Amino acid sequence: MKHILVTGGAGYIGAHTVHLLLRRGYEVTVVDDLSRGHRHNVAPDRLRILPLADTDRLTELLRSKPFEAVVHFAAYIAVGESSREPEMYFTNNVSGSLSLFTAMARAQVSRLVFSSTAAVYGTPARVPITEDMPIQPVSPYGDSKAMVEKILGWLDQRRELRSISLRYFNACGAEPDSGLGEEHDPETHLIPLLLRAVETGHPITLFGDDYATPDGTCIRDYIHVSDLAEAHILALEHLIGGGASHAFNAGTGTGHSVLEVLRAVEQVTGEKVPHTMGPRRAGDAAVLVADSNQLQSTLGWKPRYTDLREIVRTAFEFARKR
Ligand code: UFG
């Protein structure tokens, strides 16, 4: 039985990855401070409520079992909030990660899968985005993740810490019948907000239709959370098999505009989405689409969900059962 420590396993992507790890026969311990994650996402006997900043207790925990690796999700993730509260983001996301890496070094755990983000690219000069494009984040959130990637580069050299960073594009959807789904508070993401507009009748504001895209709205690469969870398992297997450190984009390679997503929600729910068109949201790039060829060729990853309506359907099923 391989033991894996998952930080932030009570959050959206973390809980989906824990679910898949357990199905694949891994033994999982979750560390989460529940500041953003949900207690109901984790079995009580698996959960250790602990801040990342507590290096000593993390060390003790990492020494308590023969952990093969750590999958590190725990972080704040809201781009807008990070611009208002940069200190909070750098403290939690960067200092928190350093505390974890210090504990890992002390406990001699030397493999890590890290949640990174497409936000490390900022406003890229071209799409699809390849991993060799410049790292130029435009928000404290994106920079906090870029900083951790940089630290991991040094720890690879100096501490033989092997890591895979996965730069997520737009995670969405839910694993059917898992009880898990997207429930951020406050919610800022497009698909849950469109579903909420249908449910409540309160219109959602769409952020701009004057972008240089075919219908004027922003284009994003929507990747199903279960496909993202699978990428983490493949990354773990790569590291456990002695693979080298790397950063990979995690997206489908297909872009959808905000209006296309809205139409998919209308098709799935059979209802009109009440909406109004507002101005652009600061910091939004017109088009963000991943080139994920490296993830596919190096780790053998392949997205199972390629139809936007199927992705939306899984999010709708989750929202309906809540
Ligand atoms: N949008 C609206 N109205 C809303 C919410 C979103 O029109 O109420 C639009 C946004 O302007 C954007 C698209 O829907 O064009 C998707 O927005 P999300 O907020 O769902 O996602 P983002 O693309 O802004 O952010 C995602 C991740 C971030 C990550 C970023 C990488 O959630 O964590 O991709 O660029 F940093």
Side-chain angles (χ1 to χ4, degrees), residues 79 118 272:
V79 175
K272 285 280 169 209

Side-chain angles (χ1 to χ4, degrees), residues 117 119 141 170 188-190 205-207 218 220 281 284 288:
T117 171
Y141 166 67
N170 289 60
T188 60
H189 294 115
L190 182 62
T205 302
L206 306 184
F207 298 139
C218 288
R220 294 287 180 273
R281 179 173 68 178
D284 272 347
L288 291 174

Side-chain angles (χ1 to χ4, degrees), residues 261-280:
V261 179
L262 182 142
R263 274 194 295 278
V265 168
E266 292 187 337
Q267 283 170 350
V268 168
T269 61
E271 313 250 8
K272 285 280 169 209
V273 179
H275 65 278
T276 54
M277 192 56 71
R280 292 182 176 197

